[in-house]
Amino acid sequence: MGAPAAAVDRAPLEALVGQTDADSRERRLCFAACHVVLKPGYSSVNHSARQPGRAEEVAEWVDWEATGVVRKKLDALGFGIAEAMDTAQRFELGWASARRLIELCGTLPLAQPWVAGAGSDQASCNSLPELVDAVVEQVQTIQSHGGSAVLLPQVWLVGRGEETTVDFYRSVVEQVDGPLIVHWLGEMFAPQLAGYFPGASFRRVLELDPEKVRGAKISLLDAEREVAIRREMASRDQLLFTGDDWNFPELIGGEGTAERTVPFGRLVVGMGDFSHALLGVLGPVARPASLALELLARGHAGDFRRLMNPCAELGRRMFEEPTSLYKCGVAFLSWLSGAQENAQLVNHLELERPPEHYEALYRLACEAGTFSDAELAADRYERWEQGNA
């Protein structure tokens, strides 16, 4: 592979940031969904996508210290942490490890707010009352450690109809405090969720209690649909957090400037015709995205796009079909950057992408300016090419 194209020169853009103050209303509230780091010895464990390990077996191989370092690095760049989400292979790890991740976030010296996924994976059966109780328990666990809860989609609800879906969310919302974020995950990420939120159920769930249900994370990879939902939500002062890892620059940039501020827990957040963010791609592109968001907060929308558009190209390749394998790129680029000592994933999903995929990610990451140490990244990439990683 030839030398990757040079990234945008950061120096004049960093100088531009230093010349003006940011407008707090224009700051986007951006959460990076983090992955977990595994111990080097996991390479000898015979887990695979076709023969997955049990959650308790996998948990023994999580490098909790290195996993915490990844989160502290993102926090230092100005990103909130989205914990125990799909990026952390939440459902392969199970609730016991998810709870430990949540506890870890609560003990880390994070400067930014953080959120975490609340599901029902500790429930022993799929009855509506037990699912509700399980989600309530997880919401309260997250809140007790200082985070805010993202209500994860429930596979059990698929095919149950609009009324059952709304009743489930109503039962949860009535028993917990806010702020809450409702997560709509598209079938490209999880095919078993095809048909989630039937009829008008999504709008009805958001209308249950807007003072508690403060927003929604939309992961549908459909920018036009997201904008329509965002504008409808704005009428209730609810925030939309884009989960669109393909089109995030245009959705975060939006149209115009902030029109007002609204509360999100203890925060005051700007609202306008733009999306905030909760994205798996933010970890890999954190370095250029952090600078881009600072420029946007100072009114430099053009420079924001100049930095973010190459990040979107990287995101489109990382999240190509099968989209659920995007985590392969997250771990690979984190390893190239020096943030961790291997690129392994739970059940060795890193083996499910072909070499051509990783080759393209390295080239696009260089063009996007994601590596603070380009020599280290090049050295590790060369080792990987030679089979010595």
Side-chain angles (χ1 to χ4, degrees):
M1 184 181 74
V8 174
D9 184 6
R10 291 174 58 94
L13 299 178
E14 290 171 341
L16 194 60
V17 166
Q19 293 168 7
T20 55
D21 294 327
D23 184 340
S24 61
R25 296 173 304 170
E26 300 299 337
R27 286 193 178 277
R28 308 307 192 246
L29 182 54
C30 293
F31 296 99
C34 298
H35 65 294
V36 295
V37 181
L38 298 173
K39 298 174 183 176
Y42 188 63
S43 61
S44 63
V45 177
N46 191 29
H47 293 169
S48 69
R50 281 154 289 283
Q51 293 184 312
R54 291 182 294 112
E56 55 269 27
E57 293 174 335
V58 174
E60 296 177 4
W61 293 100
V62 175
D63 187 331
W64 297 102
E65 182 177 356
T67 293
V69 168
V70 168
R71 283 140 181 78
K72 289 190 286 186
K73 286 179 178 293
L74 289 169
D75 177 78
L77 286 170
F79 295 101
I81 302 303
E83 189 54 89
M85 304 288 290
D86 178 65
T87 310
Q89 296 185 265
R90 160 65 183 272
F91 299 107
E92 289 90 342
L93 284 170
W95 169 237
S97 290
R99 183 174 56 218
R100 185 166 176 179
L101 286 170
I102 290 162
E103 292 168 351
L104 175 64
C105 256
T107 59
L108 291 174
L110 301 177
Q112 311 302 326
W114 61 277
V115 300
S120 59
D121 35 344
Q122 81 276 36
S124 59
C125 69
N126 287 332
S127 70
L128 186 62
E130 185 169 2
L131 287 176
V132 169
D133 289 345
V135 175
V136 168
E137 177 191 353
Q138 294 196 16
V139 170
Q140 293 173 340
T141 298
I142 293 163
Q143 293 174 340
S144 70
H145 289 284
S148 299
V150 179
L151 302 182
L152 299 174
Q154 304 296 304
V155 175
W156 181 84
L157 289 176
V158 175
R160 303 281 176 166
E162 180 175 337
E163 295 305 321
T164 299
T165 298
V166 176
D167 287 345
F168 166 78
Y169 282 94
R170 178 184 294 110
S171 298
V172 171
V173 170
E174 287 177 348
Q175 296 184 60
V176 298
D177 297 324
L180 303 171
I181 298 172
V182 176
H183 188 191
W184 189 352
L185 186 66
E187 62 186 280
M188 65 291 297
F189 289 92
Q192 66 270 33
L193 291 175
Y196 204 73
F197 284 123
S201 57
F202 182 68
R203 175 183 54 77
R204 291 176 61 191
V205 167
L206 294 182
E207 289 176 342
L208 288 171
D209 188 343
E211 292 191 3
K212 284 186 183 180
V213 183
R214 295 302 306 130
K217 168 178 159 58
I218 309 292
S219 302
L220 301 178
L221 302 185
D222 184 338
E224 185 175 346
R225 188 177 186 186
E226 178 174 317
V227 170
I229 294 171
R230 180 177 77 201
R231 291 171 177 169
E232 190 270 331
M233 291 174 60
S235 66
R236 295 184 298 273
D237 284 348
Q238 291 171 309
L239 302 169
L240 192 147
F241 295 86
T242 185
D244 188 331
D245 300 273
W246 285 2
N247 304 297
F248 57 95
E250 65 188 77
L251 291 164
I252 294 172
E255 302 293 335
T257 58
E259 302 163 357
R260 59 192 185 281
T261 58
V262 298
F264 181 84
R266 294 186 295 272
L267 303 176
V268 177
V269 183
M271 172 165 280
D273 196 5
F274 53 77
S275 298
H276 296 275
L278 197 166
L279 293 161
V281 76
L282 285 179
V285 303
R287 182 170 177 262
S290 176
L291 177 57
L293 289 164
E294 286 296 327
L295 290 163
L296 183 63
R298 289 162 171 77
H300 302 291
D303 292 315
F304 165 82
R305 293 292 180 90
R306 285 178 61 212
L307 280 170
M308 290 291 261
N309 286 341
C311 297
E313 290 299 316
L314 173 61
R316 284 184 171 272
R317 192 61 187 262
M318 187 182 302
F319 284 76
E320 67 185 355
E321 294 185 355
T323 305
S324 60
L325 291 179
Y326 72 90
K327 295 172 280 287
C328 300
V330 173
F332 183 68
L333 294 179
S334 182
W335 171 67
L336 289 181
S337 74
Q340 61 191 76
E341 292 307 310
N342 63 77
Q344 296 180 95
L345 293 169
V346 175
N347 295 322
H348 293 298
L349 288 189
E350 72 276 5
L351 302 178
E352 299 299 306
R353 290 288 203 191
E356 296 78 19
H357 179 79
Y358 293 108
E359 291 167 3
L361 293 186
Y362 173 65
R363 173 179 57 80
L364 291 168
C366 290
E367 293 173 6
T370 66
F371 301 122
S372 59
D373 189 336
E375 290 187 9
L376 173 65
D379 178 67
R380 288 192 167 188
Y381 180 75
E382 184 177 353
R383 285 167 47 199
W384 173 83
E385 275 193 312
Q386 296 171 351
N388 296 323

